[in-house]
Amino acid sequence: MEEWKKSVLIGVILIILAAMFAILRNEFNIWIILILILAAVDIIFGLMRKKVS
């Protein structure tokens, strides 16, 4: 699998897991917010790699 696809896939999985964890705990804490931010950055960098390639 290409690097940009891995990056986007990992970002999507992190967002899904963070959302599930937030729903189960019925709260948003700083760790969930950080995971969501990191996942979004991972997706952005993955899409930037695709455009460069």
Side-chain angles (χ1 to χ4, degrees):
M1 185 181 288
E2 296 174 41
E3 280 298 314
W4 70 270
K5 287 182 183 177
K6 286 181 190 176
S7 187
V8 172
L9 183 63
I10 290 170
V12 170
I13 290 171
L14 282 175
I15 290 174
I16 292 170
L17 289 176
M20 287 176 31
F21 190 70
I23 290 170
L24 289 175
R25 293 199 49 173
N26 291 327
E27 67 175 328
F28 273 96
N29 59 20
I30 189 69
W31 297 111
I32 293 173
I33 294 169
L34 285 175
I35 290 171
L36 290 172
I37 291 170
L38 288 173
V41 169
D42 198 25
I43 291 172
I44 290 168
F45 280 129
L47 292 175
M48 285 175 56
R49 279 191 210 150
K50 178 185 178 192
K51 290 180 183 178
V52 171
S53 302

